[in-house]
Amino acid sequence: MAAHLEEQQELDNFKYFWKKTGRWIFALLILAALGYLGYTVYQNRTASQNQEAAAILAEIVEKAQNKASQNEINAELTKLQQSYPHSISAAQATLMAAATEFDAQRYDVAEGHLKWVLSNQKDSLIQALAAQRLGVVLLQQKKYDAALAALDTPVEADFAPLLMETKGDVYAAQGKNQDAVKSYARALEQLPPNAVARELLQMKLDSLK
């Protein structure tokens, strides 16, 4: 009899707990499940989009290797940029396009490509590469202030020497040798001891002393 009463008391306690808090816990569990489902769907969708973007990038590379017309390549690039603007593939393709335009001395077009990358891709390495190349493109156009502004783009410490060295190039082109020396010296200080770039950077620094 005592055992039966104890079981009844536990049942009554559970009913009371469910009435007061159980429904809220159930609702939270449902929300958590929906959140997890949404995250999984997002991850799958992102993976699918990355694959589609990579396929378009492969088409661009193939067209470039087969000497397709620039109009064809530009059409594929525009498609990639519009459909998957934040993908690494779009950034890679746009950086390639910027290099092609730079080699052809179409600096204004290269500048537009690099600014697009900076606006749409937040990966730290891509940001550093785009900022450095934009600085070089602007330097070629003698847009010195704009070049220095581009090279002030915040980047991770590992990539800072790359931008600092290019700053030195801008100052040297302006004849501001003291500023150039400071930039080269700072870049050299931040480079690892075994970095390949140290030798060329040291040569630039020595030439201004």
Side-chain angles (χ1 to χ4, degrees), residues 72-83:
E72 278 188 76
I73 295 173
N74 287 341
E76 290 293 327
L77 177 61
T78 300
K79 175 183 174 182
L80 181 54
Q81 289 176 333
Q82 291 178 348
S83 300

Side-chain angles (χ1 to χ4, degrees), residues 80-165:
L80 181 54
Q81 289 176 333
Q82 291 178 348
S83 300
Y84 310 100
H86 305 303
S87 67
I88 293 292
S89 294
Q92 290 174 316
T94 308
L95 287 172
M96 288 167 49
T100 299
E101 299 296 350
F102 181 84
D103 291 341
Q105 298 185 356
R106 291 189 287 267
Y107 300 127
D108 55 336
V109 181
E111 179 183 339
H113 284 320
L114 293 167
K115 286 180 176 178
W116 185 92
V117 174
L118 284 171
S119 297
N120 289 277
Q121 179 54 244
K122 301 309 177 186
D123 176 83
S124 56
L125 173 59
I126 298 294
Q127 280 269 308
L129 288 174
Q132 190 270 340
R133 293 181 186 182
L134 179 57
V136 172
V137 169
L138 293 167
L139 172 58
Q140 289 297 318
Q141 299 176 82
K142 298 184 179 180
K143 297 179 180 179
Y144 301 124
D145 290 341
L148 292 171
L151 295 166
D152 278 335
T153 299
V155 296
E156 291 185 3
D158 289 345
F159 311 126
L162 178 66
L163 272 62
M164 190 58 62
E165 179 181 354

Side-chain angles (χ1 to χ4, degrees), residues 9 24 33 36 39 90 104 106 109 120 131 144-145 162 166 174 183:
Q9 183 63 43
W24 290 107
Y36 177 76
Y39 173 78
R106 291 189 287 267
V109 181
N120 289 277
Y144 301 124
D145 290 341
L162 178 66
T166 309
Q174 291 178 286
S183 293

Side-chain angles (χ1 to χ4, degrees), residues 139 160-174 176-191 197-198 200-209:
L139 172 58
L162 178 66
L163 272 62
M164 190 58 62
E165 179 181 354
T166 309
K167 264 191 172 184
D169 296 340
V170 176
Y171 286 129
Q174 291 178 286
K176 297 180 178 179
N177 290 355
Q178 289 186 346
D179 291 328
V181 167
K182 289 178 183 177
S183 293
Y184 290 147
R186 285 183 62 190
L188 202 57
E189 289 172 2
Q190 295 172 20
L191 277 175
R198 289 189 68 89
L200 176 58
L201 187 52
Q202 187 67 59
M203 289 173 59
K204 289 182 180 181
L205 183 58
D206 293 342
S207 70
L208 295 175
K209 288 182 176 180

Side-chain angles (χ1 to χ4, degrees), residues 17-27:
F17 173 79
W18 172 254
K19 183 177 180 182
K20 292 295 183 182
T21 61
R23 293 174 187 176
W24 290 107
I25 292 174
F26 181 72

